[in-house]
Amino acid sequence: MKIGFIGVGNMGAPMAVNLVAAGHDVTGHDIVTTMPEGVKTATSGVEAVQGAEVVITMLPAASDVEEVAAQVIPAMEKGALFFDGSTAGVACAHRVAEIAKAHGVRAIDAPVSGGIGGAQAATLTFMVGGTKADFDACQDLFSVMGQKAVYCGETGKGQAVKICNNMIAGVSMVVTCEAIALADKLGLDRQTVFDVVSTSTGKTWVMNDYCPMPGIGPKAPSDNDYKPGFTADLMIKDLRLSQDAAAEVDADSPMGARAAEVFAQYVEEEDGSGRDFSSMLLRFEKRGSG
Ligand code: NAD
């Protein structure tokens, strides 16, 4: 398949490499990075999409996705597919679908979970909004870049489930870290805390699989000096997207809102930027109740 790939960063580069390894003809464009081996270089987004049957975007934020969509969709073949794998929120998915419709292009929102490791190992999970027919048409691409794809419903539903999932992960990270810092102050041994919580009602993906305590639980970014992984900066973005969506549909989301504030304070006013989101523990370790 002839594929245009725009946004060849931490996630996009290994995904593009996996597509090339599966025999696809991939032309990439990025405003900063150079293309990995096997991916042809285009000097603009418009050049990358020439003659492509599918255009995949893996961009930082909704504003980037909308800007790129507005530039490249008019240059795409009629009937081709715009496949946005970025985490860009529900409203963005709708705006992109409108641009696509106006130009006779198909569109899906297909954000991923699994992180950079999942992108490299082709074990991502795709959560997909759009028509079922377009979801079915992408099965081969999903299986080359990931291990699971879930059809979530019409346009925006892939983004919707992604931000709900990450709201759970963000809130659980904050509360797990604050509980560990409390346990420290109560004089508990951290391994004891893990042994009990990971097998009790407090168990979560954060505690059991991505433990923020270095040297405890399975290997995680905490064991590598909190190198990401998934940055605290990306978590703020996702928590804000969930809050935007909550406001849009009048959903009460007090814990998501508070987690967004705590992550924003950690990244924007403290030293959290660029660190894995589990480094939130370092923040709580340093603080008192005041
Ligand atoms: P990244 O910043 O490493 O990569 C994004 C790339 O897009 C960069 O190389 C940047 O130069 C490029 N770019 C930005 N604007 C552009 C434009 N107008 N034209 C062409 N290229 C442009 O980010 P990432 O970690 O690869 O994340 C990409 C998306 O995947 C984000 O939406 C993120 O939320 C999502 N995501 C990331 C992870 C993760 O663990 N990193 C996990 C799940 C989902």
Side-chain angles (χ1 to χ4, degrees), residues 42 45 122 247 258 285:
R258 187 70 189 109
E285 278 173 349

Side-chain angles (χ1 to χ4, degrees), residues 167 242-243 245-247 249-257:
M167 185 169 82
S242 70
Q243 291 308 294
V249 296
D250 192 28
D252 187 21
S253 172
M255 303 312 290

Side-chain angles (χ1 to χ4, degrees), residues 134-254:
D134 287 340
F135 172 77
D136 291 340
C138 289
Q139 283 305 326
D140 174 51
L141 298 179
F142 297 139
S143 66
V144 166
M145 296 185 284
Q147 65 181 5
K148 189 172 176 188
V150 180
Y151 181 62
C152 305
E154 74 269 25
T155 297
K157 294 290 192 283
Q159 293 289 344
V161 72
K162 171 73 186 170
I163 59 175
C164 289
N165 178 73
N166 281 24
M167 185 169 82
I168 295 170
V171 171
S172 335
M173 183 58 77
V174 174
V175 74
T176 302
C177 292
E178 71 184 61
I180 294 166
L182 171 62
D184 288 344
K185 291 194 176 182
L186 291 171
L188 284 158
D189 167 60
R190 284 186 164 184
Q191 185 66 51
T192 305
V193 172
F194 179 82
D195 291 345
V196 173
V197 174
S198 66
T199 53
S200 301
T201 47
K203 75 179 175 188
T204 55
W205 173 82
V206 164
M207 180 61 94
N208 290 42
D209 301 312
Y210 204 84
C211 184
M213 297 183 276
I216 295 176
K219 275 265 167 288
S222 57
D223 300 312
N224 189 25
D225 203 22
Y226 298 99
K227 290 200 177 65
F230 187 76
T231 58
D233 314 61
L234 280 177
M235 181 48 85
I236 301 181
K237 183 190 89 167
D238 293 1
L239 287 165
R240 284 181 173 155
L241 288 172
S242 70
Q243 291 308 294
D244 291 347
E248 184 77 19
V249 296
D250 192 28
D252 187 21
S253 172

Side-chain angles (χ1 to χ4, degrees), residues 52-54 76-82 100 103-107 134:
E53 297 157 77
V54 174
M76 286 172 63
E77 303 278 318
K78 298 270 174 280
L81 180 78
F82 187 88
H103 290 89
V105 163
R106 294 138 61 215
D134 287 340

